[in-house]
Amino acid sequence: MSNIRIRRVADLDTKLLVPLAEESAREGFRHLDRLINEYAAGINQFEQDGEALFIAYLDQDIVGVCGLNRDPNSNRADTARVRRLYVLPSVRRFGIGRRLMDVVIAEAGKSYHMLVLKTDNPQADLFYRSIGFSIHTDSAAHTHFLRLKNNE
């Protein structure tokens, strides 16, 4: 789909993510509520060095989101964490999640050697492994990791 655009957001109007948060809540997820609340409270605005927030648009509609933070669970400065990936169910399987992850991985590669995440969703597990993540079995804080090639 050529009308999909991924944009980096520097100053998020959190009201724009409410429809995604409502849809994710219907699926039983609360991570977008946390993104909105933490952003609005100034707790996590993806503004530190090496951090970023990306929004996916289909035409003019927001259909996905994904963030990148320095990993708060690591004492290593070279580890980043994928945060709050979500794509609306109506546009899944169009490659939007992959495109969001491609930009997150590329951005992470500028500052980090390792990218980690945590999920308990079996579909997410399959997705992350399909794009190169490995399962991280010896960590309570992470379920998946990816060594970043451009920093090896």
Side-chain angles (χ1 to χ4, degrees), residues 95-138:
I96 295 168
R98 175 62 193 241
R99 289 185 57 187
L100 279 164
M101 285 305 301
D102 284 347
V103 298
V104 165
I105 291 167
E107 187 65 28
K110 296 175 184 177
S111 303
Y112 303 103
H113 291 173
M114 179 79 67
L115 188 56
V116 298
L117 62 94
K118 184 172 185 171
T119 185
D120 60 2
N121 181 309
Q123 290 177 320
D125 167 62
L126 291 173
F127 169 72
Y128 288 120
R129 287 191 289 139
S130 78
I131 62 172
F133 279 79
S134 298
I135 295 174
H136 200 179
T137 58
D138 63 347

Side-chain angles (χ1 to χ4, degrees), residues 35-132:
L35 184 153
I36 290 169
N37 292 336
E38 289 175 357
Y39 195 97
I43 296 167
N44 183 7
Q45 295 186 329
F46 304 90
E47 63 187 358
Q48 303 301 316
D49 288 341
E51 296 185 340
L53 181 64
F54 297 95
I55 303 289
Y57 294 86
L58 176 60
D59 296 320
Q60 301 303 313
D61 299 322
I62 295 175
V63 295
V65 62
C66 191
L68 173 70
N69 286 127
R70 183 176 309 262
D71 181 27
N73 300 306
S74 176
N75 57 2
R76 297 178 50 143
D78 67 347
T79 302
R81 185 177 181 110
V82 175
R83 301 303 297 260
R84 317 294 188 217
L85 174 62
Y86 184 77
V87 175
L88 287 174
S90 61
V91 294
R92 290 184 188 153
R93 305 274 183 220
F94 293 167
I96 295 168
R98 175 62 193 241
R99 289 185 57 187
L100 279 164
M101 285 305 301
D102 284 347
V103 298
V104 165
I105 291 167
E107 187 65 28
K110 296 175 184 177
S111 303
Y112 303 103
H113 291 173
M114 179 79 67
L115 188 56
V116 298
L117 62 94
K118 184 172 185 171
T119 185
D120 60 2
N121 181 309
Q123 290 177 320
D125 167 62
L126 291 173
F127 169 72
Y128 288 120
R129 287 191 289 139
S130 78
I131 62 172

